[in-house]
Amino acid sequence: MRKHRPDFVIALIVLGLMAASLIIVYAIGPRVAQALNTQYGTSYSDTYFLVRHAITVVLSIGALVAGYFLKYDFLAKYAKKMLIVSVILCLLVTILGKLGVDALVTCDKGACRSLRIPGIGMGFMPSELFKVSVLFYVSWLIRDRKEKKELNTQRFFIPLAAVMLAVVVLLGWWESDFGSTVVIIFMIFAMMFAGGVELINLLKIIGVAAAVFLILIIATPYRMQRILSYSGDEGSDTYHIENALISMGTGGVMGVGLGNSIQSTGYLPEALSDSIFAIICETWGFLGATLIILAITILLWKILNVSQRIKDSEQRLFSVGVFAWIVSHVIINIGGMTNLLPMKGITLPFLSYGGTSMLFVAFAVGIVLQISGWTSRKAIEEENEDTSSRRGQRRTRYSSRSSRS
C-alpha cells in the first residue's frame, strides 16, 4: 500500500485546542496565582502558570511531531521494554513516596503520582507513559495471538491479566489514581472488542473488572465520599460540584468574557486543570463550550475513521486505543463537571493545565496522524467481509453441532 497525504485535520484540531488552552490560562492564570498566594502564602507571579503552560504546549507540539515522524514499527519493537520501564517508574514513585524523598517525588493529599525532575522544577507522571506502553503492547499482543489462532486462549489471557493486574495494583491501589486505572482498562477493553475477542470472554473480564473497581471504591473513604456527593447524600461534601455548576451557569449563552471569571479566584478547586471545562463555560458560555465539544468530537471521529481504514491490524488497534483514551478522559471530566458522573480528578485532553498528560496524548495522536497516511478505502470492506466470513463459519459450526445432537 502506497503512502498518501495524512489527515492533517487531526493536527489542526489538536493545535486549535492547545491554542484555546493557552488563552484560558492567560485569562485566569493571574487570578489563580493571586488566590493561591492569599490562601497559602505562596509567591506565584501573574505569568507563572502561563509560562509553564506555554512550555508544556511547545513540548507537546514537539511530541506530536515526533509521533508523526518516528516509524510505528520502530516504536512497536520496544513495546515490552516500554511497558517494563513504565512499571518500574510507577514502582519508583510509590517507593520514593513511602520513603518521603520529597526532592524526587511529588505527593498531594497522601497520593504520590509524579516524579520530580531535579533542577527544572517540573514533574513527570509515569502513569501517562504507562498508557502509551499499554497501547503498543496490547495492540501487538492481540495481533500476535490472532495470527497464531490463540486469541481466545490462555496464551492471550494470561499476559493480558498480568498487565491489568499491574494497572490496578500500581495505579489504582498504590498511587490511588483511580481515574487513570479506569482509562487504561477502558482502552484495553476497546482494543479487545475491536480485535475480535469473543463476547462471552469480554463479559467475563468486564465482570471481574467491575468487582475489582467496586472493592477499590468501598475500601477507600474519599472515593466513597465522591459517590455520596454525586448521589446527593445528606452531609456529603458537594463543594466542588456546586461551584462547578455555578461556574457553568454564570457563563450563560455568551460567557462573562476573558479575565472576568469569578470562580477562578479561589472558589472552584483545580480551576486550571481538572475544572477547566467549567471555566470555559463561564468564560465563553454555552456557545464556546459547544465549539470545544464539537472540535473534540470531530477529532475523535477522525481518529476512529483512521482505525477503520487501516489494513494493518496492529496499527488499527493502536488507533482504537487512542480513541478510547481521549473519549474516556472527555466523558469522565465533563461528566464530573456537569454532575452526570461522580467527580473524578482527570484532565481534559489538550485543554487542561498540566505537562505529562498533554505531552503523551499528543505523542499518541501524532502516531495516529502517521498511520492516517497509510489508510485504504478498501480496508473497511475487507474487514466487513472477513467478519461476515467468520460469522458464517460460526453459524455453520453451530448448525453442524445442532444436527449432530
Side-chain angles (χ1 to χ4, degrees):
M1 184 168 51
R2 296 176 61 184
K3 191 179 188 308
H4 59 80
R5 183 178 179 181
D7 192 348
F8 284 117
V9 173
I10 293 173
L12 290 176
I13 294 174
V14 169
L15 294 175
L17 292 172
M18 289 180 179
S21 74
L22 280 171
I23 294 172
I24 288 293
V25 173
Y26 166 77
I28 71 170
R31 289 171 172 261
V32 173
Q34 292 170 13
L36 292 174
N37 291 342
T38 301
Q39 188 172 0
Y40 299 105
T42 53
S43 56
Y44 294 119
S45 67
D46 287 348
T47 59
Y48 175 83
F49 293 107
L50 176 62
V51 170
R52 288 174 65 89
H53 191 59
I55 293 172
T56 295
V57 168
V58 170
L59 291 175
S60 297
I61 293 173
L64 180 74
V65 173
Y68 175 70
F69 282 107
L70 289 174
K71 299 298 182 184
Y72 181 90
D73 292 340
F74 169 78
L75 295 169
K77 286 193 305 184
Y78 299 97
K80 293 180 182 179
K81 293 180 180 178
M82 198 184 304
L83 187 63
I84 292 171
V85 169
S86 61
V87 168
I88 292 173
L89 289 176
C90 287
L91 280 171
L92 187 61
V93 168
T94 301
I95 293 171
L96 292 175
K98 294 293 184 182
L99 294 176
V101 187
D102 296 335
L104 296 176
V105 66
T106 301
C107 300
D108 183 32
K109 299 176 182 178
C112 302
R113 302 173 183 172
S114 179
L115 291 171
R116 185 174 295 174
I117 304 174
I120 62 175
M122 297 184 71
F124 171 79
M125 294 183 68
S127 60
E128 301 301 323
L129 175 62
F130 210 155
K131 292 174 184 175
V132 175
S133 62
V134 165
L135 281 176
F136 279 112
Y137 179 74
V138 175
S139 298
W140 167 83
L141 183 66
I142 294 174
R143 191 267 303 165
D144 179 73
R145 299 302 189 262
K146 197 170 185 178
E147 289 179 353
K148 296 176 180 177
K149 302 186 184 305
E150 299 173 341
L151 184 59
N152 290 285
T153 68
Q154 290 185 352
R155 286 270 298 158
F156 169 70
F157 290 116
I158 289 176
L160 183 74
V163 172
M164 297 177 75
L165 181 62
V167 172
V168 171
V169 172
L170 292 174
L171 302 184
W173 183 17
W174 289 350
E175 290 190 16
S176 297
D177 192 350
F178 190 69
S180 291
T181 304
V182 172
V183 169
I184 295 177
I185 297 300
F186 181 72
M187 287 162 49
I188 293 174
F189 281 139
M191 287 188 283
M192 284 195 294
F193 179 79
V197 175
E198 291 182 356
L199 181 60
I200 186 64
N201 291 325
L202 267 177
L203 292 176
K204 289 177 181 178
I205 299 173
I206 289 173
V208 173
V212 171
F213 286 157
L214 185 61
I215 292 171
L216 288 175
I217 292 171
I218 295 174
T220 312
Y222 76 88
R223 288 177 184 150
M224 281 300 299
Q225 180 63 43
R226 286 176 176 171
I227 298 296
L228 294 174
S229 298
Y230 169 71
S231 63
D233 183 75
E234 186 177 351
S236 60
D237 184 6
T238 59
Y239 177 83
H240 195 159
I241 184 59
E242 286 177 356
N243 280 277
L245 293 174
I246 289 172
S247 182
M248 289 185 285
T250 302
V253 177
M254 302 298 294
V256 298
L258 290 175
N260 296 322
S261 168
I262 300 299
Q263 290 298 311
S264 62
T265 59
Y267 294 101
L268 182 61
E270 308 296 338
L272 286 168
S273 53
D274 302 339
S275 304
I276 194 73
F277 181 74
I279 296 296
I280 288 173
C281 291
E282 182 184 14
T283 303
W284 287 332
F286 175 79
L287 290 179
T290 301
L291 288 175
I292 292 293
I293 293 174
L294 179 61
I296 295 174
T297 302
I298 295 173
L299 174 64
L300 289 168
W301 178 76
K302 287 287 186 179
I303 294 173
L304 192 60
N305 189 49
V306 170
S307 71
Q308 292 177 326
R309 299 171 71 94
I310 187 71
K311 286 186 176 181
D312 186 291
S313 61
E314 188 173 334
Q315 295 180 14
R316 178 168 64 88
L317 292 169
F318 183 93
S319 301
V320 169
V322 175
F323 170 85
W325 180 352
I326 296 175
V327 79
S328 58
H329 268 257
V330 172
I331 290 173
I332 294 172
N333 183 281
I334 296 180
M337 287 296 104
T338 55
N339 203 29
L340 295 175
L341 293 173
M343 184 73 71
K344 182 71 197 80
I346 200 167
T347 58
L348 191 58
F350 306 114
L351 290 163
S352 293
Y353 176 87
T356 314
S357 178
M358 183 183 290
L359 194 70
F360 278 98
V361 74
F363 178 68
V365 171
I367 296 173
V368 174
L369 183 63
Q370 174 194 153
I371 294 172
S372 71
W374 296 93
T375 54
S376 169
R377 292 182 178 178
K378 296 181 180 180
I380 299 177
E381 298 174 4
E382 293 176 356
E383 179 67 21
N384 289 338
E385 290 176 2
D386 181 58
T387 301
S388 299
S389 176
R390 290 198 303 269
R391 288 174 179 170
Q393 291 173 4
R394 289 174 184 169
R395 284 196 295 268
T396 302
R397 187 164 60 249
Y398 294 151
S399 298
S400 300
R401 290 177 183 174
S402 299
S403 61
R404 287 196 301 269
S405 61

